[in-house]
Amino acid sequence: MRELNTFSVAARCPRTGQLGVAVASAVPAVGGLCPFLRAGIGAVTTQSWVNPYLAARILDGLAGGQDPDAALAAALATDDRPDLRQLGLVDGQGRAAAWTGAGCTPAAGHRTGPGYAVQGNMLAGPGVVDAMVAAFEGSAAQDLDERLMRALEAGDAAGGDRRGKQSAALKIVAAEDYPRLDLRVDEHAEPVAELRRVLLVARRQLVPFVAGMPRKDGPAGALPDDVVAMLLRPPAERPGTAGDAAPDLLRDVVGLRQEPRRVAHLLAQFAPVLAEIARLRDLDLADIHPPVVFDPTLPYRRVPHDDRRD
């Protein structure tokens, strides 16, 4: 068995039905061993002294009609050392469950809520899980990839794995049997910050490609011409690369250099505010108050006199 002391979030988007897992750890290749997802069925992360077969059994249970708690309990009943396991999962309806065995390395714990499960072990402290939950709940207006990324950044900024950093991953499935996103960073000094950079590139280059791939409920078709043209160009000339990126106001304009963990911490702290701003931008205030029109000529207009006398 391999111990994956790590922090992670498994979640479902209520708008799109997408399922995803984001995870980081101080061991290499965490994305290859922890996340297990099945479109429309569920998303599971298995960690601590990791047993991948538990994740597979949970997904089979969910596919067979079990609710998350029952699927989790049935899978753990097949294991000879459930005290060493940690798992988090959501099903295709957004119901969540989690397990932290008594033998998991402290600090260890989990929290679940509507559409998510957050868990971690060998953490810098219990505040890691709390910060991740706050970031996830505070970004409800965002797409699932952004919510998962913000939760991971918040956990990283709160201390993450107490041993240090090495790898991070983000995986999302939608309606197809192949992933919508499957991003991994291995053997990196700042894997979560690097995962954010890779995600920005993937949104511009990978997501349009995957959107044009064959689907099980329709014809294979062909990629749009603009996507084909983009992918025929060298990577350095495609959108989302360093040369194409918008200027960083702090770095490129003001001249400040911020340490990545500090930036991640600030983003996590202000995530609820940013989510509220995004929500307010979508409101139609005309339903609450009629529009106020400022007319600077109003004081200078001639008003007809009423010559009538009482």
Side-chain angles (χ1 to χ4, degrees):
M1 295 184 296
R2 185 175 188 179
E3 188 176 19
L4 290 183
N5 300 302
T6 184
F7 53 100
S8 65
V9 52
R12 176 185 181 272
C13 176
R15 292 182 291 104
T16 65
Q18 294 175 0
L19 296 159
V21 170
V23 57
S25 183
V27 297
V30 69
L33 292 173
C34 283
F36 289 78
L37 300 92
R38 197 176 299 173
I41 301 299
V44 185
T45 177
T46 173
Q47 50 203 57
S48 186
W49 292 101
V50 63
N51 183 348
Y53 294 107
L54 294 179
R57 290 165 188 156
I58 288 171
L59 290 173
D60 288 343
L62 295 177
Q66 292 181 321
D67 64 44
D69 287 323
L72 175 61
L76 288 170
T78 68
D79 191 21
D80 60 347
R81 291 303 306 270
D83 59 307
L84 298 178
R85 317 300 182 200
Q86 185 173 56
L87 299 111
L89 65 135
V90 292
D91 70 359
Q93 301 176 50
R95 299 175 298 181
W99 166 266
T100 300
C104 291
T105 308
H110 62 260
R111 286 178 58 184
T112 61
Y116 72 85
V118 172
Q119 46 282 319
N121 63 94
M122 197 179 269
L123 301 174
V128 174
V129 170
D130 294 337
M132 294 177 70
V133 169
F136 187 82
E137 291 183 343
S139 57
Q142 305 298 318
D143 291 336
L144 183 59
D145 62 344
E146 181 65 21
R147 298 187 74 187
L148 294 174
M149 191 69 241
R150 290 189 186 186
L152 208 63
E153 289 171 331
D156 191 50
D161 189 319
R162 74 186 192 194
R163 297 166 301 172
K165 309 178 185 185
Q166 197 165 7
S167 67
L170 189 156
K171 188 171 185 178
I172 292 176
V173 296
E176 306 303 321
D177 293 334
Y178 52 79
R180 182 176 184 271
L181 277 176
D182 189 358
L183 309 179
R184 305 180 188 185
V185 173
D186 293 311
E187 191 52 38
H188 197 282
E190 292 290 344
V192 174
E194 177 66 3
L195 185 65
R196 165 63 79 177
R197 187 192 69 80
V198 173
L199 175 60
L200 295 177
V201 174
R203 284 171 175 166
R204 302 291 300 277
Q205 299 182 24
L206 178 63
V207 171
F209 175 74
V210 173
M213 288 172 58
R215 300 180 180 278
K216 59 186 176 185
D217 59 353
L223 285 171
D225 291 342
D226 59 336
V227 175
V228 173
M230 182 264 292
L231 293 175
L232 287 176
R233 294 157 60 187
E237 298 178 9
R238 296 176 193 161
T241 59
D244 177 69
D248 185 310
L249 292 180
L250 285 177
R251 182 192 64 209
D252 302 330
V253 179
V254 181
L256 294 177
R257 299 292 186 270
Q258 291 288 340
E259 197 270 330
R261 287 186 62 181
R262 175 62 176 167
V263 174
H265 172 74
L266 291 175
L267 287 173
Q269 296 301 310
F270 285 97
V273 177
L274 295 174
E276 182 67 12
I277 291 173
R279 187 184 70 82
L280 291 174
R281 283 175 174 167
D282 292 334
L283 289 178
D284 185 357
L285 296 181
D287 295 336
I288 303 173
H289 192 286
V292 177
V293 179
F294 174 68
D295 186 350
T297 69
L298 189 60
Y300 305 100
R301 291 181 182 177
R302 294 178 60 86
V303 180
H305 293 287
D306 189 346
D307 294 330
R308 292 178 300 174
R309 298 290 187 269
D310 293 334

